[in-house]
Structures are given as structure tokens and as C-alpha cells.
Amino acid sequence: MASITLDQIRHAYNPNPVSDADYALREVDHEWVDGGAYALLGPSGCGKTTLLNIISGLLHPSHGRILFDGKDVTGLSTQARNIAQVFQFPVIYDTMTVYDNLAFPLRNRKVPEAEVDRRVREMLDIIDLADWSKRKARGLTADQKQKISLGRGLVRNDVNAILFDEPLTVIDPHMKWVLRSQLKRLHKKFGFTMVYVTHDQTEALTFADKVVVMFEGQIVQIGTPAELFEKPRHTFVGYFIGSPGMNIMPVRLEGSAVLLGQERLDLVAAASVNPADRLELGIRPEFIRLGQSGLPVTVTRVEDIGRRKIVRAELQGQPIAAVVNEDTEIPTDAHVSFDPAGLNLYANSWRVEERA
Amino acid sequence: MNKTYNNKAWFFVLPVLLLVAFSAAIPLMTVVNYSVQDTFGNNEFFWAGTDWFDEILHSDRFWDALGRNLFFSFIILAIEIPLGIFIALNMPKKGIGVPVCLVLMALPLLIPWNVVGTIWQVFGRVDIGLLGRTLASLGIDYNYVRDPLDAWITVIVMDVWHWTSLVVLLCYAGLVSIPDAYYQAAKIDGASRWAVFRYIQLPKMKRVLLIAVLLRFMDSFMIYTEPFVVTGGGPGNSTTFLSIDLVKMAVGQFDLGPAAAMSIVYFLIILLLSWVFYTVMTSSDAEEGGRDHG
Amino acid sequence: MLELRNVAKMVAGEYHIHPTNLAFERGSLNVLLGPTLSGKTSLMRLMAGLDQPTAGSVHFDGSDVTGVPVQKRNVAMVYQQFINYPLLTVYENIASPMRIAGQEKSVIDREVRKAAELLRLTPYLDRTPLHLSGGQQQRTALARALVKNASLVLMDEPLANLDYKLREELREELPKIFAQSGAIFVYATTEPSEALLLGGNTATLSEGRVTQFGPTTQVYRQPSDLTTAKTFADPPLNFMEVEKAGASFQHHGHVLPVPAHLLNVDDGPITIAFHPHHLGLAEQTTAAARLQARTQISEITGSESFVHLDFGGLKWVMLAPGIHDLEPDSSVDVFLDTRHLMAFGRDGRAIAAAA
């Protein structure tokens, strides 16, 4: 396993990029630690797949270098990079048995057959397919096939990193849970470096130590799930993570406070703001309390989604969403109050950091 | 798999059924009729029973021609299938090369059989043909009119030239349907070129290959026009295939009864061999199992 | 009203759809919820008239339409794949069913613009589908289904190929659109959360059988049997086999108090089931039972934690608010909110509905 250094990587599919808009990937400059689990999260077209392909060696970046454990691999082919990859649709060798599928990467590397057998059997146990070893791989279900793809990567002990390209797309919801926690367990046990591309926030957040949120070819934030939830650096992160996403409301600056419609809110961050900036207040639905006191709102709709209720309301003419427990009664004369810990101020879409 | 049941659908098959009836079923019945009777024309028929079949099945002429047919088909399959796969594998997968290659490949298929025959007949002539003259000037003693081996080589090369592109196009269609992820996964698994072919490309081409083998077998087994134009079945009887023999017998000698019996035997052989090919190739498919529900 | 009366579909001697009775009201939104191959698509094809049932009959507004082919049924379908005419503009794509119906130009124009506005496609009316994002392509397909003014609109996992966030937005819009149109909407999905977000009614499917049909939240909270409960749970449901004796449940030496809504149940062996969010690390209600479990893996979403637990060999998932990265394989006290317990008999039938 290895650390991955992305050294000022830019990529354009167009051979003569002129403006920023020509770049599918604008500038990525990060170091990902050995043994970390990273998720690349973003909407389609945000550049996450481009970045993954650059790491796997399928794409050569227009600018910049990529290093594994400090060694420049920019010019190396996919084979030479020693990585494993699990694809969106299961890639298995139909005509081989489950056992032979797992043995394939080892036999290709001329590993002695006794060693192949030992490692394959061990892997069959790890991915819970020992009973299926003699079956032809094509008759298996989608989740079993994905486990084989993963196993083919893990069976080699020389891989630098394991890449996942939306691996749970074709898996039924119930199996997703099983596969995800199994993957997490394997990661805890073996500690390999993993990079996981997805547009599904639940997958990204539950899988990764660090989530890399991408938007329009840029990394807008790298953080732990908690950081992304509590302190989104950009309004896009606030919107994209969480369902429903963060409430973003335009506000005006007034001294050390901000005005939301007619309501005045004191904010520490307001002190560090340039008055010319476009200001917005961000608060997640989870940080809004519904009760008899606070700011008056008009409830427009209540969605019962099982374990929680989403309350859609209007506050000072702005739509706002709040999330409450399934047992909560919605008061007729509803008021909301904001948990100060959940308030974020945004200037030109970027979060205003409090001065220490 | 879900199917729609609607009896009206049969209505749409009707024209084809009629066409098949007139073009195949009725002529076939006529042939059956001829095969069990003796006639010299004039609409006078005498019952002959299985006599003609006896005669055909006991004649060396028939078995020799059949042997030539089988040998010819074997050679054709042994050359065209691997060659077709090889060319398909090396065709570009994207870019401007794709349409260029496809058009080049399709060209021989657009040329009518007798024209192909004529082209090669002229091409190979020692006196005026480009190929014949070139070979002669290189000191190679090549003459398809005189030497049976040269005649065979000419007919085979001609068929390979004419029909390999069919195999290429079919295989190419199978190959382009393989998602990139498979090649990428194979690279990551460190698979050799041969392993990629054996475990990814060949399994994906299997279905189209089955069709290619069947088509090429049936077609080569029924070969007629090209050798007829080029060699006329000679020298001697060396390129007299069943079909050529059949025409000689029916049109040349006007032996309608034996010719009819022979064509029925011929027909049954093709049917039988096609069935054998099909069962052998699909059974290996079935045994690998895998229920694909839709 | 669309009614399926004892409709069954057999293929090669196997039931693809077991005899099914269903009735959908006009203007209703009906979700078919079940895993892949549970029969959602087969059932929709029977409703549309694309397939004929082996037995039973399909009725529309009281009249039997069983043998009537799909072309004559005024049905619209939206598929998982984005299906549009690639060479026509968005405008022409949306207009196509009305052109086929031979409607007046002015009517077509009005309806197309209305549908485009509703699905926020107005800026793209002159583009062709190739120049649209996946979400816009699928909205075009939805708009086409809408203007057709079909009395039955069938949607087979229409959002499955879209980005998560887009899905969320369309899910919010769709019920509003449905409410305005007055047609019968049938929506197939594999995701329980999608069914809950859409609301309306839900029919749960399992192995070609409709296991329950009713208002979505009712099916979710009061499943009539174990299969339904399992189908309608994401994250997966937790189970425990217990022996009820008076006011306590017993399970291998553990004793749990029986909640009020289950006190009247007969004593004996039953299966109790509960959702992961009814298990917590803090005692939130007085009706909570304390249990000791072993931790396995914690998955953190940023605001909540999914903790995988082992309770005497049973695999459970707990969804606790806050961030809890618990050390694997350690002992932890968890609290079960017994007010929401579901109980099932040996035969899998629900015994008493959870409150």
C-alpha cells in the first residue's frame, strides 16, 4: 500500500485548453496518506471519474505529476502501477469458475500454484464465497460478482491502492448495506489505501475517512464526514451533502450581526466580512428546532419519510426545510429557532471562517 | 423474458411464408417427385421407387464429389475463421480508421459471385492475368487449367478473398460490444494478450462466431458459381463439387431422376451437418449455465 | 380506477406473478416496492397491456380491458433508460404523442409549454436530447408522458440512472405533478426511502407476490407480515426470536419488558422486529429497554452513526444520532425503544401492529 500524491494536476480533454472552462480537472494538489479511505463525491461531470482515471493510469494528465509513495508514476501504465479496481458494472471472467477468477491475477504473475491455492482459499473465506468456488462465475448475482472483482484485487499482496468506480450502482438496497460494512471491515483489517468514486452521499460518508467533494472540476472541500456536515466550506457542499441539503438564505450585514428579512441574528463570523460580498446564511435542517418560540414560520408541507419528518415551511418569504423525529407533533402556530452551532455564514459562496 | 402474445402477429409472417412456399417448399416437393420417378420429359413418368437413391449412394462419382466438398469446407473454415478473427482483432476500435476499414471489408461482399469468378479467372491466367504472369515470371509453374493443385489453390484463395470479410465483420461486431472496463480490468490483473483473447474476447465473440461458422460452412458446402466460372470443375474432375456434378447430371446429361435424388441427399447432408454444428456449439454454451432473467 | 382481478402470469410453468388483486384510484400515486426480479416490471407490463395475463382480468373504470392491446389503452410509460427521439428537439419530443393523436397546433403548443414549465425544461426546448444532461433527458421523457394525458402513467425506476441529488429534487417534484394531473400513477422502485419520499400508496412485492398494499406510511409502520417488513426497510430491519411470558419477552436469558401495545398478545414464541433508529446509545424514552451488545463496525454519516452490533449471535444495525466511532469488538449498552416494536408469529404474520 502506498500514499498517493497529486502534484498540481490539471486535465483537459481538449488538446488546446484556453480558459478554466476547458479543464475537466482544474487544479488538484493533495497528498493522500497510506492506508486512508478516500471518497470522491460530486455530481456527474464534476471531474471525479477523470481524477480516478488519472490515478489508475488510464488517462495521462495534461499537467502535473502523480506519485505513489514519493515515486513518480505519471508515465507508468496501469499494469505497472500495481493498483486494483472495482468497476460500476461487475467485470468478471464469465467462462472461469469463481476460484479461477480469483487465481487469475496471481497466475498471470507466475506465482507458484501452491501459493495461489493458499491465497485464493483465504480470499474465498474473506469474501464469503467459499461454497461457490467451483461454480462458473456467470451464474452469480450482481453483489457476488462485485465481491469477486474486489477479491481479484485483494488477492494480490502488492497493490498500491484499490480504486472503486461507483461499485454499488447495480446492487439492491439491502445488499448495499451488507457489502458496504464488509468493505469497511476489510479496510479496518488490512488497512489498504482506497479511493472510492460515487455520487451517493451515504456511500461516500459511511465509507471514507476523508471525503473529497468535487464541483466543476475542482475540489471544494476535503474533510471528515463530520466536518462536511457541520462546517461546509462552500454552499455547494452544504447543498450536496445531507438530504434535504443545507438551507441557504440571503442575508444583509448590519454591524456585527446579519439581517434575515426583518430578523436580526448575532454572528461572530460577521466581524470578518467584507461588506461588498454577497452574504448567505447556511443552516442544516437538522439544526432547526421547531417549537412555540423563535421566528414565526408558515408550514407548507410535512413529508413523513418513516423515521423522520421533513417540515417544509416559509420563513420571511424564504423556503426552509427542517427535520424532526418521527414522534414529533408539528405545532399549529409554528416557530423555529436555530442551534447556534449549526449556523454558517457564506461570503460569495465560501464559508467565512471565524478569526481566532 | 417477457413476451407479448397477440395472434395478429401471424398475419405479418404470412407474406414470408408464402414466399418461402413458392421459392423453397414447392420446388423441393417437385424434386422429391422427380427423385422417385423416371422421366425423359414429355410429362411421361414411370415409378422408380428408391432406385435413383440406390444408384447415387453406390456411385463413386457421388462419394468423390462429397469428399471434395467436405475437404473444401474444412479448408475454408480452417482459414477464414482464424484469419477473420485475427483481422477483426487488429481493426481500429475508434477514429477515422473504423469507417475506412468497414468499407474496405464490405467491398468483396458486394461483388456478385460470377463476377468474382470472372475476376479471378482472368487474374490467374498465365497469358494475360496479372497474377498468372507475375508468378510465371518469378519462375513458379502455376496453371490452374492444367494442375489440380493450382486449381484448388485458386478456388480457395478466391473464396477466402471473397468471404473472410463476413467473418471479420461479424467478429468485429462482437468485439466492439465489450465494455472498456473489461480491458482495463485485464490490464490490472496483468493478463497477457493471449489471456485477454481467451477469457474476454473469445467468450464475447462466441455467439457471432457460431453464426459465422454456420454461414461459412453452408455456403462453402454449396459452392458452385466460382469454380464453375474459373475451372468448370476441372482439370479432370478435381474441382467437381456436388453442386457442379448435380448441374452436369441434370442439365448436361438430362438425368432428372438421379439428379433429383442427389439433390435431396445433398440437402439432407447440409441439414444434418448444420444441425451438428449448431448443437455442438450451443451445448457448450448451455452447460456453462447461468440463468439470465430479464 | 384500474383494477387487477386475480391476475396471474405464468411463464414456462412458473409463476412470474402469483394471483394478484389490486385497485388503484384515479389521481393516486402508487409505488411498487421490491428488490430486483420481484415482479415489478412484469406487473407493470400486465397493467399496460404489453403482456396478457395467464389468468384473471384487468379492468379500467369498471370495463374489462384484458385483451385490449397497449396502443388502444391510453397508457404512458417512462423507463429507467432515458428514451427520447435523438433527432427531435425537446419541444418536438414532448409534442410527439400529441402530434400522433392529431391535435391542433395551438393546443399542442400550449400543453408542451405548460409541461416544460412544470419540469423546468423551458430553456432547453430547442436542444436535442444529446445536448442535455441525464436529468434533463429524463425530465423530457416525463414531460412527454404528461402531455399524452394518459389515464395510466407507468414509471419503471425512472430515477435509477440519475445522480443522487437530482433524484432527490425530482422525487420532490413528482408527487406535486402527479397531484395536478388526475391520472393513475404507478411507480416501481427498489428503494424503500424513495417510496417513503413519494408518499401515496405502496404495494410491496416479493418473489412475484404482492405482500401488502395500502397507504405508504401505514405499510411501513404496520407491515402485515415479515416479508413486507423486510422489503420495506432500509437500513435493514433487526430481528429477535423471543418467548413471551406475561409482561416480559425472554431471549436466551435476556429479559425485555413487553410494551403496552403488545401486552394482549398470547404467550408463546414470537419474532420481534425493529428499525435501526429505534436502537440508541441514550435512554430517550421511559419505554426503553437496556441491552448489552458487542460492537462490530461503525459507519459515520457526519450527523449520525450506523453501528453494526452483535447481540448474542444476532446481527443488528443501530442508527444513533451524533458521531460514535466505537471501538470494534467492545461491549456497549444500547437502548431499544419498545414503543415501536413489531411482532410476528411463527407463520410470519404480524400479530399486533406497532403503534
Side-chain angles (χ1 to χ4, degrees), chain B residues 113-131:
Chain B
W113 289 261
N114 52 345
V115 176
V116 172
T118 313
I119 289 173
W120 281 84
Q121 202 243 355
V122 176
F123 191 43
R125 271 171 67 169
V126 190
D127 48 351
I128 56 165
L130 184 62
L131 179 70

Side-chain angles (χ1 to χ4, degrees), chain B residues 219 222-229 243-244 247:
Chain B
D219 217 49
M222 296 187 292
I223 184 139
Y224 173 72
T225 317
E226 297 97 323
F228 179 76
V229 173
S243 56
I244 293 179
V247 173

Side-chain angles (χ1 to χ4, degrees), chain A residues 43-44 172-174 177 180-181 184 199 201 205 225-226 229 239-240 242-243 304-307 312 326-327, chain C residues 35-36 163-165 168-169 172 190 220-221 230 233-235 277-278 299-301 303-304 306 319 323 340:
Chain A
S44 46
D172 270 351
H174 282 83
W177 283 90
R180 242 171 46 201
S181 61
K184 187 109 187 171
H199 62 82
Q201 45 162 319
L205 296 168
F229 185 77
Y239 150 82
F240 200 77
S243 50
D304 185 346
I305 56 163
R307 69 188 177 91
R312 309 263 176 199
E326 66 176 328
D327 300 319
Chain C
T36 315
D163 266 10
Y164 189 83
K165 212 59 195 181
E168 204 174 283
E169 286 173 12
E172 207 186 308
T190 59
Y220 173 75
R221 295 214 165 81
K230 281 184 192 166
D234 182 37
H277 63 278
H278 292 137
E299 296 179 292
I300 295 155
T301 70
S303 57
E304 297 169 316
F306 293 105
L319 174 52
I323 293 162
H340 297 277

